[in-house]
Amino acid sequence: MKALEDKIKAEGKVYPGKVLKVGRFLNHQIDVPFMAKLGEEFYNRYKDDNITKILTVEASGIGIACLTAQFFNVPVLFAKKSKSKNIGDDCFVVQVTSYTKGIVSDVMIEKELLGPEDRVLIIDDFLANGCALEGLLSLCKLAGATVAGAGIVIEKAFQDGGARIRAMGVRVESLCRVKGMSLDGGVEFYED
Amino acid sequence: MKALEDKIKAEGKVYPGKVLKVGRFLNHQIDVPFMAKLGEEFYNRYKDDNITKILTVEASGIGIACLTAQFFNVPVLFAKKSKSKNIGDDCFVVQVTSYTKGIVSDVMIEKELLGPEDRVLIIDDFLANGCALEGLLSLCKLAGATVAGAGIVIEKAFQDGGARIRAMGVRVESLCRVKGMSLDGGVEFYED
């Protein structure tokens, strides 16, 4: 998606360790009007798939998930990374490794909120090594829900997550696919 | 707001320790079309205040903040609770106690994303003891930003946060104010 690639080139920053910082518009500050356009693009790609629920994981997936859900007129369910008093005891739980935080953590959803009647679109801001997406796929499997596919804002296509998950037969739609980046700020994309 | 009170009565659950669980529509699963109506209500209350930015804190404030921001056509900035590779080093940091998790944690925003030119509307899902809201007010003060007010979905008005923060001269608009609740599921509201 050309508008997204331009936005990343204009406002993104490359940090050591192949970290692409897009906190000006995606995962710290959220450029809501721009994100709504990305949500509409996800809708265009999945509108014929009878989506009943959008699933994401806290925290940075929530904004784009909500702005996407409006087009589908369905609820968002966000998986939680820690147990709080606000979540019940009867949960599906899987373990996920965070690339940006370098830790393994539980990710959970309440059982009563996802089931075999659901057709799920998974939305997330990044796809890199694929651990978060695999965790969400596992939660859907535990719930018996059908996964229509995933919608990713930025895929770091030089890491293996996208290829591995597509090889599992999961449809993954990424709005841009990063081929490589350099510390002088250059970001290269695969052409669609 | 009557529609919200009805929703809480129909879908909320009361847990021991005066915990009101609204994970079916607010802070685990998000009823996006319904939340968008709440966002419009916040817009109606603050539309003449020249809001430039909506500030919230991860994770459960993000959804309602984004759905509100659409009406104002402004970005959302969400304060982060932990340091990740996606956030820069130059941050405003304050400490906040979480009522539902029972821990003290740092809450931070990057300095470059909030400044004296901003007129901020703070949005959050709950107001109880007021610690999260005070933390966000402190971040705005550190940034030199003007706070137009706060928009809260559910105020637990039997706790002292709302009264204390209004006494500081901060405008707080809560869409419903819980007077009390009982374990048999009853939730009572103050009339507006």
Side-chain angles (χ1 to χ4, degrees):
Chain A
M1 197 180 170
K2 180 71 167 53
L4 176 60
E5 294 176 8
D6 291 346
K7 186 98 169 165
I8 292 168
K9 284 179 179 172
E11 300 184 23
K13 285 180 196 164
V14 178
Y15 275 48
K18 303 247 176 191
V19 172
L20 177 59
K21 202 158 109 21
V22 285
R24 291 194 72 84
F25 66 94
L26 180 60
N27 54 17
H28 184 17
Q29 181 163 261
I30 301 169
D31 181 336
V32 170
F34 184 77
M35 284 298 126
K37 283 183 207 165
L38 304 189
E40 189 171 19
E41 177 65 22
F42 286 133
Y43 176 70
N44 288 334
R45 297 187 189 196
Y46 282 103
K47 65 184 170 202
D48 298 323
D49 291 275
N50 303 310
I51 303 299
T52 64
K53 198 161 284 190
I54 289 181
L55 177 66
T56 189
V57 57
E58 64 180 7
S60 50
I62 298 173
I64 179 65
C66 285
L67 295 167
T68 302
Q70 290 201 112
F71 294 96
F72 290 93
N73 207 31
V74 300
V76 165
L77 176 61
F78 66 89
K80 303 213 174 195
K81 288 180 180 164
S82 63
K83 186 96 186 138
S84 78
K85 290 181 191 165
N86 282 324
I87 194 166
D89 289 326
D90 209 15
C91 291
F92 298 118
V93 183
V94 298
Q95 289 203 316
V96 167
T97 305
S98 164
Y99 176 73
T100 45
K101 291 185 183 163
I103 51 170
V104 177
S105 54
D106 285 347
V107 164
M108 65 200 82
I109 53 173
E110 285 191 32
K111 287 184 181 176
E112 66 171 26
L113 295 174
L114 193 65
E117 68 284 7
D118 282 308
R119 284 185 59 83
V120 176
L121 171 59
I122 297 173
I123 292 283
D124 211 354
D125 56 341
F126 273 95
L127 168 59
N129 62 18
C131 290
L133 181 49
E134 279 187 311
L136 294 173
L137 289 166
S138 298
L139 288 173
C140 289
K141 195 170 178 183
L142 289 171
T146 303
V147 176
I152 303 295
V153 179
I154 301 174
E155 179 179 342
K156 287 172 154 179
F158 55 87
Q159 290 184 247
D160 69 347
R164 199 175 68 250
I165 287 164
R166 287 184 184 96
M168 294 160 57
V170 177
R171 178 179 171 195
V172 180
E173 297 277 346
S174 300
L175 300 186
C176 73
R177 299 179 66 235
V178 178
K179 190 175 181 176
M181 46 194 185
S182 55
L183 281 176
D184 61 9
V187 183
E188 260 193 301
F189 298 94
Y190 284 104
E191 300 202 11
D192 288 328
Chain B
M1 196 177 168
K2 179 72 166 51
L4 176 60
E5 294 175 8
D6 291 345
K7 187 100 169 163
I8 292 168
K9 284 179 179 171
E11 300 184 23
K13 285 180 197 166
V14 179
Y15 275 49
K18 303 246 177 193
V19 171
L20 177 59
K21 202 158 110 17
V22 285
R24 291 194 71 85
F25 67 95
L26 180 59
N27 53 17
H28 184 18
Q29 180 164 262
I30 302 170
D31 182 336
V32 170
F34 184 77
M35 285 296 127
K37 282 184 207 162
L38 305 189
E40 188 171 18
E41 177 65 23
F42 286 133
Y43 176 70
N44 289 334
R45 297 188 188 195
Y46 283 103
K47 66 185 170 199
D48 299 323
D49 291 275
N50 303 310
I51 304 300
T52 64
K53 198 162 283 191
I54 289 180
L55 178 66
T56 188
V57 59
E58 64 179 10
S60 51
I62 298 173
I64 179 65
C66 284
L67 296 167
T68 302
Q70 290 201 113
F71 294 96
F72 290 93
N73 207 31
V74 300
V76 164
L77 176 62
F78 66 89
K80 301 213 174 197
K81 288 181 180 164
S82 64
K83 185 95 185 140
S84 79
K85 290 180 191 165
N86 282 323
I87 194 165
D89 289 327
D90 210 14
C91 291
F92 298 118
V93 183
V94 298
Q95 288 203 317
V96 167
T97 305
S98 163
Y99 177 72
T100 44
K101 292 186 182 160
I103 52 170
V104 177
S105 55
D106 285 347
V107 164
M108 64 199 82
I109 53 173
E110 285 191 32
K111 287 185 180 175
E112 66 172 26
L113 295 175
L114 193 65
E117 68 283 6
D118 282 309
R119 283 185 61 83
V120 175
L121 170 60
I122 297 172
I123 293 283
D124 212 353
D125 56 341
F126 271 96
L127 168 59
N129 63 19
C131 290
L133 182 49
E134 278 187 311
L136 294 173
L137 290 166
S138 298
L139 288 173
C140 289
K141 195 171 180 182
L142 289 170
T146 303
V147 176
I152 303 295
V153 178
I154 301 174
E155 178 177 342
K156 287 173 153 177
F158 55 86
Q159 290 184 246
D160 68 347
R164 199 174 69 251
I165 287 164
R166 288 183 182 97
M168 294 160 60
V170 177
R171 179 179 171 195
V172 180
E173 296 278 346
S174 300
L175 299 187
C176 73
R177 300 179 66 235
V178 177
K179 190 174 181 176
M181 43 195 187
S182 55
L183 280 177
D184 62 8
V187 183
E188 260 194 302
F189 299 93
Y190 284 105
E191 300 204 11
D192 288 327

